[in-house]
Amino acid sequence: MSKKNDTNRTIIQYFEWYVEGSHVLWKKCRAQAPRLAEFGITDVWLPPAYKAGFIEDNVGYAVYDMYDLGEFDQKGLVKTKYGSREEYQQAVSAFKKSGIRVLADVVLNHRMGADSFEDVQALKVNPNDRNQTWSEPYTISAPTRFMFPGRKGKYSGFTWNHTHFTGVDWDNNNPVTGNVYRFADKAWAHDVSREFGNFDYLMGADVDVNNPDVKAELIRWGKWYLDFTGVSGFRMDAVKHISASFIKEWISAMRDYKGEELPVIGEYWHGDVGVLEEYLNQVDGSMKIFDVPLHFNIRQMSYADGNYNMADILNGTLLQRRPENAITFIDNHDSQPGQALESFVNSWMKQVAYALILLHKNGTPCLFYGDLYGIPCTRNIPIPRLRTLVRVRHDYAYGEQHDYIDDYDCIGWTREGDDAHPNSGLALLLSDKRDGKKRMYVGKRFSGTCFRDCMRKVREDVIIDDDGYGLFSVQGFSAAVWVTWQAFENLVINED
């Protein structure tokens, strides 16, 4: 492989919701880091590493103590689902040694699993319109005291009470699910998603990021986390539920502290690209965000039985409208089967979809752990030749792109390659139904060169003519990725 570079970065989300929970993931990370780097992964997004509020829901998003990375006896266990604090730090070190940046999952929106309750004046609000109140203020018993008795003040003496939150979904005096309560002396943040009137509240005890003490503590924690773990950047969860002005301030504080442009990715789950563009404007483009509209386009195509206009696949996406901010993905832990946002892409389409996001000149693609290794509990198998596609991206997907996104059932593009990457350049064809052919330009530099399909489905070679064109083909319902014969031979030698 060629030397690591910053041009074609490729992220992997290194977990899925049901990944084995016997404290082994950090050990697997440490063992697999060199292999991931070898086939072209440059960045890894790890799951929340801190203690969750409930043993039965310990994926990490039900945040209890962000300073407990599997070190203290709290909430019924010492280790987290993924392992111990030492194992986490060893995993981060292993990735960095292999040249891979580590992105830590940051959940700043809420806390769960409180140590005790407090009497608080609150108003019941309409769950479907959080701007509408259903009661006058009255006293509820709210789960808002977080004392962290197992940690005993190590790393931070900050403890949480009701003044640090804006609302909850639980009254211990009236234990009924489905309610939302806003504290009488608090207001929802204004610069959040307008879904449900105001989508500041998501779950648990909703963190009041506009409280000066909370703001200072979250910034202090972020600096501690960077130093203590050695991670390279952050994936920020549920940003549409958190004040955009706070997010911008927090990111700025982290970058000022590090003295560099540390990478930050935000999760704003919405299918309207206009909403995502509005958010990016609110935060001054300070992060990349997931291209949810492209995910939905791909999913729709995957279930359309060939009745989808592939020429429209990029319409209304961040990849089309804000490519510099687009994190492209096929699926993740939220969209996988059994989750609240389930929208899993049909398995037959996965290889086609990954070829699309990995070999396009724009966007930063993110692989899903479940697509690389499979998801045993839902019987989803690994996607064939996914490692090969990542390797092609890393080594050969360079140079000017020429688009042929002009057909209902067959689209593609070419990359001309460049002098900095030996044997670079490619031709891509994607089909959602029928066999197809396109005469495409790859560049006169390739005149007389033999190209071969590294997906190993189309067996005939293509010889580039004197004008730099070749007649490329693809089987129906598949992807064909044509590279020079020298690149092909290297891929075969290093086959996944």
Side-chain angles (χ1 to χ4, degrees):
M1 286 184 65
S2 60
K3 187 178 179 180
K4 288 287 179 197
N5 62 84
D6 286 326
T7 306
N8 282 355
R9 305 206 71 89
T10 305
I11 306 166
I12 183 168
Q13 176 185 353
Y14 208 75
F15 67 102
E16 51 97 2
W17 194 267
Y18 307 107
V19 72
E20 186 177 359
S22 52
H23 319 298
V24 299
L25 184 64
W26 300 149
K27 294 178 182 177
K28 182 174 181 178
C29 288
R30 185 179 179 184
Q32 290 296 312
R35 173 62 172 143
L36 293 171
E38 193 275 333
F39 71 80
I41 296 297
T42 63
D43 300 71
V44 60
W45 155 25
L46 296 181
Y50 21 82
K51 193 66 58 68
F54 311 103
I55 294 177
E56 65 274 15
D57 184 22
N58 62 355
V59 176
Y61 293 98
V63 182
Y64 171 66
D65 185 357
M66 296 183 77
Y67 289 98
D68 184 356
L69 307 182
E71 182 177 359
F72 306 101
D73 187 358
Q74 299 190 117
K75 296 303 171 184
L77 72 171
V78 175
K79 293 184 176 182
T80 69
K81 174 179 181 177
Y82 311 110
S84 69
R85 183 264 295 170
E86 294 87 352
E87 290 162 348
Y88 177 61
Q89 290 174 311
Q90 290 165 3
V92 173
S93 295
F95 282 124
K96 293 174 71 176
K97 184 177 179 180
S98 296
I100 296 175
R101 298 191 308 195
V102 178
L103 307 178
D105 206 320
V106 179
V107 187
L108 302 181
N109 180 72
H110 51 266
R111 297 290 183 272
M112 302 183 77
D115 297 309
S116 62
F117 297 86
E118 294 180 288
D119 288 344
V120 186
Q121 287 285 294
L123 304 93
K124 186 183 294 187
V125 303
N126 181 352
N128 296 313
D129 182 355
R130 279 78 181 279
N131 292 320
Q132 183 183 67
T133 59
W134 277 357
S135 75
E136 295 297 318
Y138 68 101
T139 301
I140 68 169
S141 179
T144 49
R145 287 292 281 160
F146 292 79
M147 306 298 292
F148 316 120
R151 182 159 54 82
K152 298 181 174 62
K154 187 176 182 180
Y155 306 128
S156 173
F158 189 88
T159 60
W160 297 71
N161 60 58
H162 71 275
T163 66
H164 302 131
F165 303 103
T166 56
V168 294
D169 60 358
W170 186 259
D171 175 9
N172 211 43
N173 293 330
N174 181 32
V176 177
T177 61
N179 290 328
V180 177
Y181 306 92
R182 176 174 58 80
F183 296 156
D185 62 343
K186 294 295 182 79
W188 304 127
H190 64 88
D191 49 349
V192 295
S193 168
R194 293 185 291 274
E195 296 172 66
F196 300 106
N198 180 297
F199 217 173
D200 183 353
Y201 185 84
L202 176 62
M203 64 176 68
D206 186 66
V207 174
D208 181 5
V209 296
N210 291 315
N211 178 308
D213 293 336
V214 170
K215 183 181 297 186
E217 170 62 11
L218 294 180
I219 290 174
R220 183 165 53 245
W221 171 83
K223 294 175 180 178
W224 170 84
Y225 199 89
L226 286 169
D227 290 340
F228 191 71
T229 66
V231 298
S232 303
F234 299 105
R235 179 266 185 189
M236 304 195 72
D237 184 62
V239 294
K240 74 178 183 181
H241 305 283
I242 307 172
S243 164
S245 58
F246 167 77
I247 290 289
K248 185 170 65 171
E249 181 179 350
W250 191 86
I251 293 172
S252 178
M254 296 305 105
R255 287 177 174 156
D256 288 346
Y257 182 68
K258 290 293 289 184
E260 59 189 49
E261 281 293 306
L262 82 167
V264 179
I265 299 171
E267 182 247 346
Y268 195 117
W269 194 266
H270 204 288
D272 186 336
V273 70
V275 172
L276 301 185
E277 288 183 295
E278 180 183 1
Y279 180 75
L280 286 170
N281 291 336
Q282 284 183 297
V283 297
D284 294 337
S286 58
M287 64 171 73
K288 298 179 186 290
I289 61 177
F290 291 98
D291 195 346
V292 179
L294 178 61
H295 160 74
F296 283 133
N297 282 2
I298 291 170
R299 183 179 187 275
Q300 182 182 354
M301 178 171 63
S302 76
Y303 287 98
D305 194 28
N307 297 309
Y308 183 91
N309 185 357
M310 294 189 76
D312 293 336
I313 190 64
L314 301 184
N315 289 350
T317 68
L318 282 175
L319 188 61
Q320 179 191 63
R321 303 260 286 266
R322 293 285 289 266
E324 69 279 8
N325 295 108
I327 299 292
T328 54
F329 72 105
I330 310 305
D331 276 305
N332 62 25
H333 65 293
D334 285 323
S335 70
Q336 72 180 97
Q339 293 307 298
L341 299 175
E342 180 178 341
S343 51
F344 213 54
V345 172
N346 203 337
S347 295
W348 81 263
M349 174 62 71
K350 288 288 183 87
Q351 189 183 90
V352 172
Y354 272 112
L356 188 156
I357 68 170
L358 286 166
L359 304 182
H360 198 278
K361 67 177 179 180
N362 291 327
T364 304
C366 182
L367 277 66
F368 180 42
Y369 180 100
D371 290 333
L372 185 64
Y373 298 109
I375 307 174
C377 71
T378 52
R379 300 183 180 180
N380 294 97
I381 64 173
I383 305 307
R385 303 201 186 283
L386 185 50
R387 291 176 179 83
T388 297
L389 286 170
V390 176
R391 191 187 301 276
V392 171
R393 171 179 173 79
H394 185 279
D395 286 355
Y396 307 121
Y398 298 96
E400 186 176 354
Q401 179 169 306
H402 302 280
D403 290 333
Y404 295 85
I405 306 176
D406 54 3
D407 186 79
Y408 197 91
D409 291 318
C410 181
I411 63 171
W413 53 82
T414 64
R415 304 289 298 275
E416 287 195 40
D418 61 28
D419 294 334
H421 300 88
N423 304 315
S424 60
L426 60 87
L428 169 70
L429 280 181
L430 308 174
S431 168
D432 76 335
K433 188 173 185 178
R434 58 177 172 81
D435 294 355
K437 290 187 176 182
K438 284 186 183 292
R439 185 172 182 266
M440 299 192 294
Y441 178 78
V442 293
K444 290 186 177 181
R445 65 187 290 170
F446 292 113
S447 295
T449 302
C450 171
F451 272 64
R452 293 174 179 166
D453 174 25
C454 63
M455 294 292 97
R456 315 285 290 277
K457 292 184 178 180
V458 181
R459 300 297 182 181
E460 299 82 7
D461 293 343
V462 171
I463 306 299
I464 306 305
D465 66 24
D466 291 342
D467 294 322
Y469 285 84
L471 182 61
F472 298 96
S473 60
V474 62
Q475 290 183 0
F477 302 99
S478 71
V481 181
W482 298 82
V483 295
T484 68
W485 70 268
Q486 297 98 327
F488 180 88
E489 292 298 321
N490 182 60
L491 290 167
V492 171
I493 292 171
N494 296 286
E495 189 65 29
D496 58 339

